Amino acid sequence: MSTKQEVKSEKQFNHKEISLKIVELIRIGNSSDLEQLSQQLDEHEWDSSKLKLEFRKFIDTFLQRKSFSPEEMQERIEKHCKAFAKFRLHEINARARLLLASHYLATYNHFSECLQALIAVELIAQKFLGIHHMIHCEALFTKGSVYYFQGDYVSSTQAMVQAQSLKSFASASAELQFKSHVNLARNYVLLNEFDNAKRHVDLAEKSYEQYQGIYDKAALFIRKADLLRINNDWAGSLAIMQDGLEFYKNTQFKQRIAEFHKEIGEFFGRENNPLKDYEASIAAFMQAFDLAKELDIIRFQAAIFNSMRKVAYRFVRWKDCSDVLVKYMELENQTHFLETEVHIK
């Protein structure tokens, strides 16, 4: 009797071990190792072929996630979670729901559904994993992003501060720590809490030394430029943004180049800027738009036109304001038909 229990316990441990491996590979975005793991699952002894099949299906869901509509993703995740809950695999169950939340967030149009998925992650963490579990930390960070896109900067900040208060944050990846600090700095700038903003810019810079994620370094340039602008060093702020632009010109990241052109357009259009210049602002916006059009990012094109409209309004250029508003509305309408094609990281 005890021998059978030992064998069963060993098999259950293997199931959990595999589920944790899948969770970790998803966390670091290692698609090649996930594909290899999926192929190796037959090497394990299974007391449930259904669970083996579910692991494979879940790996496939992660690898093919960009091709699924929110409805398709929701249907898949519900099936995965039902199987994972049956085998009491709580970590992968929570990670599946976090994957669904990220999918919703990337559409910029399913915030309520995203929050529901995140609440489910938090409940699993509180009931089975402990509030200091890394998945709970990741869920709170994602919740901060949801609130930010809804324009609720106070709730966004509270969620990210709560994530940083967890014990697991100390062992979070350098990427998560960097993004958490740089996003908190952004929020504090918007909330006019400049001391807190500077503190998190410094912490983000320290995290970046280990992270070294070139694509994400843009945020660090922008936050430093924000701090200089806040201190009325307008020339220094512009210089930082131009440094960022030059940095990305030496990379393959055209979207980042476009984003810096947009930021410079915003800079020249600011009301209190002694260097404000309508022509320079519009020229920068058009450079951003040309790249956004080349990259075929409709939502980004719409955002650029929206910024151009606001600048034209500030400079009392009514005809330009009206013309750009028409173009902006046309692009906004297109995004409703293209939302499922938004890139999901």
Short mmCIF file of all heavy atoms in Angstrom, two decimals, residues 261-284:
data_model
loop_
_atom_site.label_atom_id
_atom_site.label_comp_id
_atom_site.label_asym_id
_atom_site.label_seq_id
_atom_site.Cartn_x
_atom_site.Cartn_y
_atom_site.Cartn_z
N HIS A 261 10.50 60.71 -32.31
CA HIS A 261 10.04 61.85 -33.13
C HIS A 261 8.73 62.40 -32.57
O HIS A 261 8.55 63.63 -32.51
CB HIS A 261 9.86 61.41 -34.58
CG HIS A 261 11.13 61.31 -35.37
ND1 HIS A 261 12.00 62.37 -35.50
CD2 HIS A 261 11.67 60.28 -36.09
CE1 HIS A 261 13.04 62.01 -36.25
NE2 HIS A 261 12.86 60.73 -36.61
N LYS A 262 7.85 61.52 -32.16
CA LYS A 262 6.57 61.96 -31.57
C LYS A 262 6.81 62.72 -30.27
O LYS A 262 6.19 63.77 -30.03
CB LYS A 262 5.66 60.76 -31.32
CG LYS A 262 4.30 61.12 -30.70
CD LYS A 262 3.45 59.88 -30.52
CE LYS A 262 2.09 60.22 -29.92
NZ LYS A 262 2.17 60.69 -28.52
N GLU A 263 7.69 62.21 -29.42
CA GLU A 263 8.00 62.89 -28.16
C GLU A 263 8.57 64.29 -28.41
O GLU A 263 8.24 65.25 -27.70
CB GLU A 263 8.99 62.06 -27.34
CG GLU A 263 8.40 60.80 -26.74
CD GLU A 263 7.40 61.08 -25.63
OE1 GLU A 263 7.47 62.16 -25.01
OE2 GLU A 263 6.54 60.21 -25.39
N ILE A 264 9.42 64.40 -29.42
CA ILE A 264 9.99 65.70 -29.76
C ILE A 264 8.91 66.63 -30.29
O ILE A 264 8.90 67.83 -30.00
CB ILE A 264 11.16 65.54 -30.76
CG1 ILE A 264 12.34 64.84 -30.05
CG2 ILE A 264 11.60 66.88 -31.33
CD1 ILE A 264 13.46 64.41 -30.98
N GLY A 265 7.97 66.07 -31.05
CA GLY A 265 6.83 66.87 -31.50
C GLY A 265 6.02 67.38 -30.32
O GLY A 265 5.62 68.55 -30.30
N GLU A 266 5.80 66.53 -29.34
CA GLU A 266 5.10 66.95 -28.12
C GLU A 266 5.87 68.06 -27.41
O GLU A 266 5.28 69.03 -26.92
CB GLU A 266 4.93 65.75 -27.17
CG GLU A 266 4.15 64.58 -27.74
CD GLU A 266 2.65 64.72 -27.55
OE1 GLU A 266 2.21 65.80 -27.12
OE2 GLU A 266 1.94 63.74 -27.86
N PHE A 267 7.18 67.89 -27.34
CA PHE A 267 8.04 68.85 -26.65
C PHE A 267 7.88 70.26 -27.24
O PHE A 267 7.65 71.23 -26.52
CB PHE A 267 9.50 68.40 -26.75
CG PHE A 267 10.49 69.40 -26.23
CD1 PHE A 267 10.83 69.42 -24.89
CD2 PHE A 267 11.09 70.32 -27.08
CE1 PHE A 267 11.74 70.36 -24.40
CE2 PHE A 267 12.00 71.25 -26.61
CZ PHE A 267 12.33 71.27 -25.26
N PHE A 268 7.99 70.37 -28.55
CA PHE A 268 7.91 71.69 -29.20
C PHE A 268 6.50 72.27 -29.14
O PHE A 268 6.32 73.47 -29.39
CB PHE A 268 8.38 71.60 -30.65
CG PHE A 268 9.88 71.55 -30.80
CD1 PHE A 268 10.50 70.47 -31.40
CD2 PHE A 268 10.66 72.60 -30.35
CE1 PHE A 268 11.87 70.43 -31.56
CE2 PHE A 268 12.05 72.57 -30.50
CZ PHE A 268 12.66 71.47 -31.10
N GLY A 269 5.51 71.44 -28.78
CA GLY A 269 4.14 71.92 -28.71
C GLY A 269 3.68 72.28 -27.31
O GLY A 269 2.54 72.69 -27.13
N ARG A 270 4.54 72.13 -26.31
CA ARG A 270 4.14 72.41 -24.93
C ARG A 270 3.99 73.91 -24.69
O ARG A 270 4.84 74.71 -25.11
CB ARG A 270 5.16 71.83 -23.94
CG ARG A 270 5.12 70.31 -23.89
CD ARG A 270 6.05 69.77 -22.81
NE ARG A 270 5.98 68.32 -22.75
CZ ARG A 270 5.10 67.63 -22.04
NH1 ARG A 270 4.20 68.30 -21.32
NH2 ARG A 270 5.09 66.32 -22.02
N GLU A 271 2.95 74.27 -23.98
CA GLU A 271 2.60 75.68 -23.80
C GLU A 271 3.66 76.49 -23.07
O GLU A 271 3.99 77.61 -23.47
CB GLU A 271 1.27 75.79 -23.03
CG GLU A 271 0.05 75.36 -23.85
CD GLU A 271 -1.25 75.59 -23.09
OE1 GLU A 271 -1.19 76.25 -22.03
OE2 GLU A 271 -2.29 75.10 -23.54
N ASN A 272 4.21 75.97 -22.01
CA ASN A 272 5.15 76.74 -21.18
C ASN A 272 6.60 76.62 -21.63
O ASN A 272 7.51 77.10 -20.96
CB ASN A 272 5.03 76.28 -19.71
CG ASN A 272 3.65 76.53 -19.16
OD1 ASN A 272 3.01 77.53 -19.47
ND2 ASN A 272 3.17 75.60 -18.33
N ASN A 273 6.80 76.00 -22.76
CA ASN A 273 8.15 75.77 -23.26
C ASN A 273 8.70 77.03 -23.94
O ASN A 273 8.14 77.49 -24.93
CB ASN A 273 8.12 74.61 -24.26
CG ASN A 273 9.49 74.25 -24.79
OD1 ASN A 273 10.49 74.83 -24.41
ND2 ASN A 273 9.51 73.26 -25.67
N PRO A 274 9.79 77.60 -23.43
CA PRO A 274 10.37 78.78 -24.09
C PRO A 274 10.90 78.46 -25.48
O PRO A 274 11.14 79.37 -26.28
CB PRO A 274 11.50 79.20 -23.14
CG PRO A 274 11.83 77.97 -22.36
CD PRO A 274 10.55 77.22 -22.21
N LEU A 275 11.07 77.17 -25.77
CA LEU A 275 11.56 76.74 -27.08
C LEU A 275 10.43 76.28 -28.00
O LEU A 275 10.68 75.71 -29.06
CB LEU A 275 12.57 75.60 -26.93
CG LEU A 275 13.78 75.87 -26.02
CD1 LEU A 275 14.63 74.61 -25.86
CD2 LEU A 275 14.63 77.01 -26.57
N LYS A 276 9.18 76.53 -27.60
CA LYS A 276 8.05 76.02 -28.38
C LYS A 276 8.10 76.56 -29.81
O LYS A 276 8.45 77.72 -30.06
CB LYS A 276 6.73 76.36 -27.72
CG LYS A 276 6.37 77.83 -27.66
CD LYS A 276 5.03 78.01 -26.95
CE LYS A 276 4.65 79.49 -26.88
NZ LYS A 276 3.36 79.70 -26.19
N ASP A 277 7.73 75.67 -30.73
CA ASP A 277 7.86 76.00 -32.15
C ASP A 277 6.87 75.12 -32.92
O ASP A 277 7.04 73.90 -33.01
CB ASP A 277 9.30 75.72 -32.59
CG ASP A 277 9.57 76.11 -34.04
OD1 ASP A 277 8.66 75.98 -34.89
OD2 ASP A 277 10.70 76.52 -34.34
N TYR A 278 5.84 75.75 -33.47
CA TYR A 278 4.78 74.99 -34.14
C TYR A 278 5.32 74.21 -35.34
O TYR A 278 5.02 73.02 -35.50
CB TYR A 278 3.66 75.92 -34.59
CG TYR A 278 2.52 75.21 -35.28
CD1 TYR A 278 1.64 74.40 -34.56
CD2 TYR A 278 2.34 75.32 -36.66
CE1 TYR A 278 0.61 73.74 -35.19
CE2 TYR A 278 1.30 74.66 -37.30
CZ TYR A 278 0.45 73.86 -36.55
OH TYR A 278 -0.57 73.20 -37.19
N GLU A 279 6.10 74.85 -36.16
CA GLU A 279 6.62 74.19 -37.37
C GLU A 279 7.52 73.01 -37.01
O GLU A 279 7.44 71.95 -37.64
CB GLU A 279 7.37 75.21 -38.24
CG GLU A 279 6.54 76.39 -38.70
CD GLU A 279 5.32 75.97 -39.51
OE1 GLU A 279 5.39 74.91 -40.17
OE2 GLU A 279 4.32 76.70 -39.50
N ALA A 280 8.37 73.21 -36.01
CA ALA A 280 9.26 72.12 -35.59
C ALA A 280 8.45 70.96 -35.01
O ALA A 280 8.78 69.78 -35.23
CB ALA A 280 10.26 72.63 -34.56
N SER A 281 7.38 71.29 -34.28
CA SER A 281 6.53 70.26 -33.71
C SER A 281 5.87 69.42 -34.81
O SER A 281 5.94 68.18 -34.77
CB SER A 281 5.45 70.92 -32.84
OG SER A 281 4.55 69.95 -32.34
N ILE A 282 5.26 70.08 -35.78
CA ILE A 282 4.56 69.35 -36.85
C ILE A 282 5.54 68.54 -37.69
O ILE A 282 5.25 67.41 -38.09
CB ILE A 282 3.76 70.33 -37.73
CG1 ILE A 282 2.67 71.03 -36.91
CG2 ILE A 282 3.14 69.60 -38.91
CD1 ILE A 282 1.71 70.08 -36.21
N ALA A 283 6.74 69.10 -37.92
CA ALA A 283 7.75 68.37 -38.70
C ALA A 283 8.14 67.07 -38.00
O ALA A 283 8.28 66.01 -38.63
CB ALA A 283 8.98 69.26 -38.91
N ALA A 284 8.31 67.14 -36.67
CA ALA A 284 8.66 65.94 -35.91
C ALA A 284 7.52 64.92 -35.95
O ALA A 284 7.74 63.72 -36.12
CB ALA A 284 9.00 66.31 -34.47
#
